[in-house]
Structures are given as structure tokens and as C-alpha cells.
Amino acid sequence: MRKTTITLLVMCLSLAVCRFESAAVEQRAYITVSAGSSDRQDAVVSFALSRKLRARYYGLRDESGRVIPLQIDGERVATFVLPQLKAGSTKRYRLEELKAAQTGGDVRAQQAGYKLTITAAGRHVLDYQAQPSDLPTPDIKKIFRRGGYIHPVYAPSGRIITDDYPPDHYHHHGVWFAWTKTEFEGRHPDFWNMGDGTGSVEFVSLDESWSGPVHGGFKARHRYVDLSGPKPAAVLNEDWRVIVYGVGRGPKPYEMFDLVCTQECASSSPLILPEYRYGGVGFRGSRE
């Protein structure tokens, strides 16, 4: 069974290199971050946290005494935002246990009805539309209803930079995925042009959401369905993992998010993706 993973980085993630060391005499733990050959600013850094460190909440204290929040997920991966580090430089942090109240809750994911809203430092970042959304006008056919997409996405200024059900393209919905030219069991479902009625992408479930001092996000599942045969047939299972990072806390604050989309065949029948060109961009059918 072949698997396709699509990663969408809304802003480039600059990952510094971390080294974990333990000072046995002082019974303290330190993290050293190396900038490498590039200047680093608001860089998201992750590392594996030793299982010997069992506290629930930690922070990183630098030489000046400033404490940077550290977020730890269930797999013991610790993440923080490195404010700034010049190329060729290193910075050393001491790992400190924090009380729960000190960690804050900078990035928050909250569900209301069929939408999951994510904010950072109180600013609206994006909404995830889970179940199919309501049609904005009664003249739009029900075949265009869709869930499982991100809209709206907000710029740091608060301006909405995505669209939903635009008048000339009812099948467009913020941030979403759909294959156009395909072959499945000898048929040719089109999952992009929903109005043709040959294919659809359906919301399945919102499996997880979380909030934290460094990032918040969600995991969701969708299903590609072939409607061109004698009965609907599941073609692809799609998993989303979306992480919103609270970065850019200076005079011009901003956020960024990371979307990883993984697709697997839903049956023993493969989905064939012939080479397809649209708007000057070529897509080849070979996917691993």
C-alpha cells in the first residue's frame, strides 16, 4: 500500500541543532542551541526530553534570567521558540521545573459547534471547518457543501486571507486538498470539481485538539469517495496534523502554522494519478 505525505509550511521553520547535557554535580539539565550557518529568529526548536525528567511543566532559563516556555507532548518531545541567535553562535539554557500556572496558555484551540478555532495571544489565527459548512446563499447547490478544511486564515493585521464558496468557484474552500485527474478501478473520479458529482472529500472525525504555551493544534481525518461507480466507494484515507506556533512576540507579532497531510489507499485498489498540468504546474502520478 502506497502512502503520500504532503507537508505545507505556511512559514519556513528554521530548526536549530540542540545538544542535551546533564550536570551531575549540580543535578541540573542544560540545553545548548547552535545557530549553524544562518541567523535564527523566532525559530521553532524541538528535542527529545529525557524520561528521567518526570515533571509535567518545564521552562528554559538563559544567562540573563529570562525564562522561555517549553511545551512537552505525550511522546516526550519538547518544543520552544528560540527568539534570536546569530549565525555561528550558541546559547545555553538551564532546564527548570515550573508550576502549572507559570506555563500560561498562549495558543488555544477551542471547539464550538462544527468549527475549531485557534488563537494565539488572544489573536484569531484560523478556523478548521469539521462537518460540512452551511451554504452562504440559497442559490448554491447542496453538492458543493464540504467539511474538512481551514477557513478563515487571518493575517497578523487581522485581515482574512482565505475565501470560502467564492462566486466563481463554489468548490474552493480555504486550505484543502483534492486530486483532479485520477483513475480508480477504471473510472475517473474528480475530487476537485465537486459540482461534477464524480468524487467528494468527506470529513470523518476530529480526533484530537490541544492548547499550550508554545503551540496548539488538532488532528483530523477525511475520506475521498468515488461517486462515479454503481455505489460510493472509499478511495483514500487522509490524516491531517495541524500545529499553530506562537512566534513573533515583538512589536509586530505574528503566528505560523504547519500542516502535514498523509494519504493512504482505503482499499486494495490503487488510486492512479496520471501526469496533470494546471496553471503551469505539473503533477506526476508517481507518489510514495
Side-chain angles (χ1 to χ4, degrees):
M1 179 180 293
R2 289 189 174 185
K3 177 169 68 174
T4 299
T5 301
I6 303 168
T7 303
L8 173 63
L9 295 178
V10 173
M11 299 187 68
C12 180
L13 295 180
S14 300
L15 298 182
V17 179
C18 291
R19 185 174 76 253
F20 182 82
E21 58 183 274
S22 177
V25 176
E26 299 179 358
Q27 294 184 343
R28 292 173 177 173
Y30 296 86
I31 299 295
T32 300
V33 186
S34 301
S37 59
S38 301
D39 290 342
R40 308 289 176 173
Q41 183 171 357
D42 299 328
V44 176
V45 183
S46 295
F47 61 93
L49 188 70
S50 171
R51 295 190 177 277
K52 295 180 181 179
L53 302 172
R54 300 182 180 277
R56 185 174 180 183
Y57 301 105
Y58 286 100
L60 298 177
R61 186 180 296 275
D62 63 15
E63 295 86 349
S64 69
R66 178 187 179 185
V67 177
I68 296 177
L70 186 68
Q71 186 165 336
I72 304 166
D73 65 20
E75 298 178 353
R76 303 295 289 175
V77 174
T79 303
F80 69 98
V81 176
L82 178 69
Q84 194 171 25
L85 193 62
K86 291 292 185 180
S89 301
T90 62
K91 194 171 182 66
R92 192 170 185 246
Y93 294 95
R94 188 177 73 195
L95 192 68
E96 287 191 356
E97 182 179 347
L98 299 180
K99 296 180 180 179
Q102 293 178 266
T103 64
D106 203 37
V107 185
R108 302 189 64 83
Q110 296 178 303
Q111 187 172 3
Y114 294 160
K115 281 192 175 183
L116 181 76
T117 296
I118 300 183
T119 59
R123 290 186 301 276
H124 203 156
V125 180
L126 59 84
D127 285 349
Y128 170 70
Q129 180 70 45
Q131 286 89 344
S133 56
D134 294 330
L135 296 173
T137 59
D139 60 307
I140 301 177
K141 297 178 180 179
K142 291 183 179 180
I143 196 171
F144 288 105
R145 289 189 70 218
R146 149 141 200 189
Y149 61 92
I150 293 173
H151 173 80
V153 175
Y154 291 84
S157 65
R159 181 180 179 181
I160 295 176
I161 57 174
T162 54
D163 203 351
D164 198 12
Y165 297 102
D168 56 342
H169 288 80
Y170 289 143
H171 59 290
H172 285 191
H173 305 279
V175 180
W176 57 302
F177 295 100
W179 295 107
T180 302
K181 187 175 181 180
T182 74
E183 181 179 336
F184 179 74
E185 295 182 346
R187 301 182 296 274
H188 302 278
D190 183 344
F191 302 99
W192 180 278
N193 297 292
M194 300 170 58
D196 294 343
T198 62
S200 68
V201 182
E202 302 175 352
F203 168 79
V204 176
S205 64
L206 180 59
D207 294 336
E208 180 185 355
S209 64
W210 66 91
S211 304
V214 179
H215 61 79
F218 66 91
K219 294 180 181 180
R221 287 183 288 145
H222 312 139
R223 179 184 298 117
Y224 286 56
V225 180
D226 175 17
L227 303 176
S228 64
K231 61 180 181 179
V235 176
L236 288 179
N237 293 321
E238 179 178 86
D239 293 346
W240 275 23
R241 185 171 185 262
V242 177
I243 306 177
V244 176
Y245 295 97
V247 297
R249 292 294 175 261
K252 294 183 178 180
Y254 64 92
E255 290 76 36
M256 67 181 179
F257 68 90
D258 176 7
L259 190 163
V260 177
C261 170
T262 302
Q263 299 175 342
E264 292 185 329
C265 292
S267 70
S268 59
S269 298
L271 177 67
I272 300 172
L273 304 173
E275 183 175 355
Y276 175 67
R277 295 187 177 276
Y278 176 77
V281 179
F283 300 88
R284 293 189 177 275
S286 177
R287 298 289 190 273
E288 294 298 332

